[in-house]
Amino acid sequence: MADPLILIENLRRAFPSGDGYVEALKGIDLTIEAGEMVAIIGASGSGKSTLMNVLGCLDKPTSGTYRVSGKPTDALGPDDLAALRREHFGFIFQRYNLLAELTAAGNVEIPAIYAGQRSADRLEKAHQLLDRLGMADRAEHRPGQLSGGQQQRVSIARALMNDADVILADEPTGALDKKSSEEVLRILHELHEDGRTVIIVTHDPEVAAQAERIIEISDGEIIADRQTRPAKQIQSAERPATSGQSASAWKAAVDRFSEAFQMALLAMRAHKLRTSLTMLGIVIGIASVVCVLALGEGSQRQVLENIRRLGTNTLEIFPGKNFGDLRSGRIRTLVVSDAAELEKQYFAAAVTPTVSSSGTVRFGPVEANAQISGVGDQYFAAKATELVEGRLLDTDSIRFRTQEVVIDENTRNTLFPGATDTAIGSVIFIDTVPCLVIGIVSSSQSSFGGRQNLSVYLPYTTVQTRFLGSTSLRSIILRVDESTDMDVAEQTVTDMLTQRHGAKDFFILNTDEIRQSITSTTQTMALLISAIALISLAVGGIGVMNIMLVSVSERITEIGVRMAVGARQGDILQQFLIEAVLVCLISGVLGILAALGFGVLFSMLGSSFSLVYSNTAIVSAVICATLIGVVFGYLPARNASRLDPSEVLSRS
Ligand code: ADP
Ligand code: MG
């Protein structure tokens, strides 16, 4: 003889209560054959629901055995039990337990999603079932728009979705009026006639009387078990075994993912305020990280650009011990022959002595103060100054102390307003010395606020004799060739000059060092602010964890229903994890947009530099947001997936 569909032997179920246990089921023995229609009746608290949960593999017995078609269930893990529920059992609850965010058809579809049915088949089947239950015109309604009887019919359709052979109905008419109750019972009869096994739990003798067999339970024990009508001969063939093809494993996983994704979106939409407040934390965190990195990068580029204008790879040698050395003005040891000697070094790409003075420049009626630089012919090469027009000073200019002058664009614009193209070849007065303008160079922006300064460049020999009356130098600028290490060059220069002067009466400004120190300063700053931003991200993450925990406890019934219809633990985990990651990812994108917006604002405020957004920063912001979602969403999601379905459903 074939194994009975359900075989229970000496089954006990105890719940922890206070210090001890309450036994809800005290040694149940029960056999139910396929195709029976059974009512389990008993007073409230007698253990009916507990028995039903065990029968439906929502709950495990404390002791005793439970076999489904001869297969013992006690060794099965959560996912195997979920598979059993998915394939064999259809649940109908007293409170329908429909998901409020989904339409009737959407609710009916759920079990098939977890079973991996193709979506087209799924939808067709859901509509067929609703049609059969007289709900065709309500398929797109949400539970809130349906009456109790209609909701129960949707939940029956859901129970039938995977062609369950056993329908478990726990007080299916408990919340319904008389007419709806009769309707539901009629449907249950029909299902029985289809060849399904129907088990109804009820406290109502009238409902129980509909069944062929009534099992009475009291205080956890079966006290009566009687056949009221002869069992109908079932014809299994009447019922199609399974309908609809199952999709490939990969396709099914994608389907489950997209279902979880949609549920996450719906959940976020249902709690807009809460979600957006949580997102705000992450948005601020991400926006500040991206902004700080962009600010750091932008300011660093600006500084490096300034240094580049200062002259790349240059050493500038000054007399004295340091800037501000009072004696430096009196130290006369830095001389032209030092420059000549430096020029002989293998690494010298360009060397120029400089002297400086200030005075007035005048052309016709226009007069202005200007910085007068006396320079060598290699000065422009050493400083990488760009020639705009005309020519530069050459060796002859230096040797013959010519009264030739190269002016910068500021000076040209000041002295020749409206007629800038007449500058070359004009004679301007510098103090009282007439000089011929031979070239225009671009204005240096190296000095702070230096954009408006006027600079004119004369041969240093001319400045020494005509303006200063002294042969000492302000500095020597040495441009080191690209292949030589700046520190080596600096050391060589120091050794050489110390030997020539008999003492170290000079100091060297190394642009490379300045660049390094500025770079490292901005990097330190960026690191520091990033650390603060990261802390704010962590705080945001905790916010995410918090709403996820709230979300899990709010949707406990939903979790229970999903588990009852066969969701695996992984499906539940995935759903909540997706929600957490989605919250964070959307915040991340908003954060990046906010940062970009800040950049626009920043440049509109007329800052001297703009924010530079690196792709790395943006990509890492997105990765960061995702990670926060995963890390802080994992715990709540795992909690949700490990919930015990029977307990969760009893809480609702
Ligand atoms: P019925 O469905 O017949 O009204 P139940 O099966 O729900 O009864 O409950 C039977 C007994 O088990 C009751 O005394 C109830 O308090 C107890 N019980 C049921 N579920 C739990 C649970 N999850 N934790 C503790 N006690 C429970
Ligand atoms: Mg109950």
Side-chain angles (χ1 to χ4, degrees):
M1 196 188 145
D3 286 307
L5 178 69
I6 282 169
L7 177 64
I8 281 175
E9 282 170 323
N10 193 24
L11 183 137
R12 288 169 189 280
R13 179 66 169 104
F15 294 106
S17 151
D19 323 326
Y21 287 90
V22 258
E23 278 219 302
L25 298 175
K26 305 169 181 169
I28 301 274
D29 292 299
L30 182 63
T31 308
I32 296 176
E33 298 288 345
E36 280 192 275
M37 181 160 182
V38 181
I40 298 173
I41 189 168
S44 177
S46 54
K48 307 182 297 291
S49 296
T50 308
L51 179 58
M52 181 70 108
N53 287 340
V54 172
L55 287 176
C57 297
L58 283 171
D59 194 11
K60 292 186 104 178
T62 314
S63 71
T65 57
Y66 173 34
R67 289 166 195 269
V68 180
S69 304
K71 250 198 315 198
T73 58
D74 52 340
L76 299 180
D79 283 350
D80 296 319
L81 290 175
L84 256 184
R85 292 195 292 270
R86 215 158 45 226
E87 287 156 18
H88 295 290
F89 298 104
F91 293 89
I92 300 168
F93 305 96
Q94 178 175 357
R95 304 227 149 267
Y96 334 121
N97 290 349
L98 300 178
L99 305 192
E101 296 98 352
L102 296 180
T103 60
N107 269 288
V108 174
E109 230 191 336
I110 298 174
I113 293 169
Y114 295 124
Q117 218 180 75
R118 284 197 342 219
S119 78
D121 295 345
R122 216 158 65 198
L123 230 88
E124 197 192 318
K125 175 116 197 246
H127 280 100
Q128 265 176 20
L129 285 169
L130 286 170
D131 199 10
R132 188 181 147 189
L133 296 175
M135 294 282 295
D137 53 339
R138 299 277 191 280
E140 302 310 319
H141 286 53
R142 285 173 207 284
Q145 303 166 306
L146 299 173
S147 73
Q150 289 171 331
Q151 290 192 54
Q152 194 60 299
R153 277 188 271 171
V154 174
S155 105
I156 294 173
R158 180 177 64 192
L160 297 175
M161 189 64 194
N162 283 349
D163 289 304
D165 16 66
V166 185
I167 301 293
L168 298 167
D170 191 348
E171 308 271 13
T173 59
L176 299 179
D177 57 56
K178 197 162 160 52
K179 193 164 158 288
S180 304
S181 298
E182 278 166 10
E183 183 62 26
V184 165
L185 287 170
R186 188 185 60 74
I187 295 168
L188 290 175
H189 268 296
E190 272 179 32
L191 299 179
H192 174 230
E193 268 151 33
D194 274 2
R196 290 188 170 85
T197 310
V198 176
I199 303 175
I200 308 169
V201 160
T202 182
H203 65 277
D204 182 352
E206 245 177 84
V207 172
Q210 304 274 330
E212 298 165 344
R213 178 181 169 192
I214 300 176
I215 297 167
E216 205 175 332
I217 179 169
S218 171
D219 206 11
E221 285 171 301
I222 293 178
I223 53 166
D225 184 349
R226 55 184 193 279
Q227 199 76 24
T228 54
R229 265 178 277 155
K232 272 202 190 110
Q233 206 53 48
I234 53 152
Q235 284 123 18
S236 319
E238 271 178 36
R239 204 163 61 78
T242 46
S243 75
Q245 267 173 291
S246 56
S248 71
W250 182 80
K251 190 92 198 337
V254 170
D255 265 17
R256 299 209 307 270
F257 181 86
S258 96
E259 153 79 355
F261 193 84
Q262 279 171 22
M263 283 316 298
L265 283 182
L266 288 173
M268 284 165 63
R269 210 177 59 182
H271 303 285
K272 286 192 202 79
L273 182 67
R274 194 168 72 196
T275 309
S276 44
L277 281 177
T278 307
M279 281 166 60
L280 194 62
I282 307 269
V283 170
I284 292 171
I286 294 279
S288 49
V289 172
V290 174
C291 275
V292 164
L293 292 180
L295 264 170
E297 183 66 29
S299 63
Q300 189 165 327
R301 278 201 195 173
Q302 161 82 359
V303 169
L304 290 182
E305 174 68 6
N306 284 347
I307 295 172
R308 200 182 60 74
R309 293 214 174 125
L310 206 69
T312 43
N313 298 344
T314 58
L315 297 175
E316 187 159 6
I317 302 135
F318 293 92
K321 285 206 168 58
N322 210 331
F323 281 119
D325 185 346
L326 290 175
R327 291 178 301 118
S328 69
R330 283 182 274 122
I331 294 174
R332 304 263 179 257
T333 49
L334 200 63
V335 290
V336 177
S337 61
D338 289 332
E341 200 59 36
L342 285 172
E343 219 169 317
K344 291 181 194 148
Q345 299 298 323
Y346 66 93
F347 51 75
V351 176
T352 176
T354 77
V355 293
S356 74
S357 174
S358 61
T360 53
V361 290
R362 183 159 59 82
F363 180 73
V366 193
E367 204 175 79
N369 277 317
Q371 171 76 31
I372 302 166
S373 300
V375 299
D377 57 299
Q378 292 174 28
Y379 174 86
F380 303 98
K383 293 287 249 182
T385 312
E386 192 191 340
L387 177 67
V388 178
E389 210 186 328
R391 62 180 177 86
L392 297 170
L393 301 170
D394 56 22
T395 42
D396 282 349
S397 317
I398 310 299
R399 193 173 342 138
F400 300 121
R401 302 174 188 197
T402 58
Q403 283 161 240
E404 293 172 325
V405 63
V406 171
I407 63 177
D408 72 348
E409 286 172 308
N410 285 340
T411 312
R412 179 193 63 183
N413 297 343
T414 310
L415 294 188
F416 303 91
T420 47
D421 52 341
T422 63
I424 302 275
S426 301
V427 173
I428 61 173
F429 280 89
I430 301 176
D431 285 350
T432 56
V433 184
C435 299
L436 176 69
V437 178
I438 59 164
I440 318 277
V441 291
S442 61
S443 295
S444 141
Q445 294 181 2
S446 63
S447 50
F448 292 98
R451 278 183 203 211
Q452 299 313 315
N453 280 359
L454 309 188
S455 286
V456 299
Y457 305 91
L458 293 158
Y460 72 92
T461 46
T462 310
V463 176
Q464 281 175 336
T465 48
R466 306 296 298 254
F467 294 89
L468 299 171
S470 130
T471 56
S472 67
L473 299 176
R474 184 183 94 97
S475 75
I476 298 171
I477 297 173
L478 166 71
R479 177 166 176 180
V480 178
D481 77 28
E482 300 286 340
S483 61
T484 308
D485 185 73
M486 289 294 284
D487 293 333
V488 172
E490 184 180 345
Q491 193 54 49
T492 314
V493 170
T494 307
D495 292 347
M496 194 201 89
L497 289 180
T498 309
Q499 201 184 6
R500 278 175 64 86
H501 296 183
K504 188 177 176 303
D505 54 1
F506 57 90
F507 65 95
I508 297 178
L509 209 63
N510 183 337
T511 51
D512 198 43
E513 267 170 24
I514 299 173
R515 172 167 39 214
Q516 275 173 15
S517 75
I518 289 174
T519 308
S520 83
T521 314
T522 49
Q523 277 170 352
T524 313
M525 282 300 287
L527 212 68
L528 199 80
I529 304 175
S530 296
I532 294 169
L534 279 177
I535 291 170
S536 85
L537 279 182
V539 172
I542 292 167
V544 170
M545 178 136 86
N546 193 28
I547 63 152
M548 290 316 296
L549 285 169
V550 171
S551 179
V552 167
S553 66
E554 254 180 13
R555 281 148 66 198
I556 209 103
T557 315
E558 177 192 329
I559 297 168
V561 170
R562 287 179 182 278
M563 286 176 160
V565 301
R568 301 156 190 80
Q569 288 196 331
D571 293 328
I572 303 290
L573 181 86
Q574 171 174 280
Q575 181 183 331
F576 284 93
L577 212 50
I578 288 175
E579 189 175 331
V581 170
L582 218 54
V583 166
C584 292
L585 257 184
I586 294 174
S587 317
V589 171
L590 290 178
I592 290 168
L593 290 180
L596 294 176
F598 175 74
V600 173
L601 208 71
F602 193 78
S603 61
M604 272 179 3
L605 289 178
S607 154
S608 64
F609 65 98
S610 54
L611 280 80
V612 179
Y613 299 94
S614 68
N615 290 335
T616 342
I618 288 174
V619 169
S620 29
V622 171
I623 292 175
C624 206
T626 312
L627 274 181
I628 291 171
V630 172
V631 169
F632 290 95
Y634 181 74
L635 187 80
R638 200 197 54 168
N639 281 355
S641 74
R642 298 228 175 138
L643 286 170
D644 179 1
S646 69
E647 201 202 314
V648 160
L649 285 169
S650 74
R651 267 196 244 168
S652 59

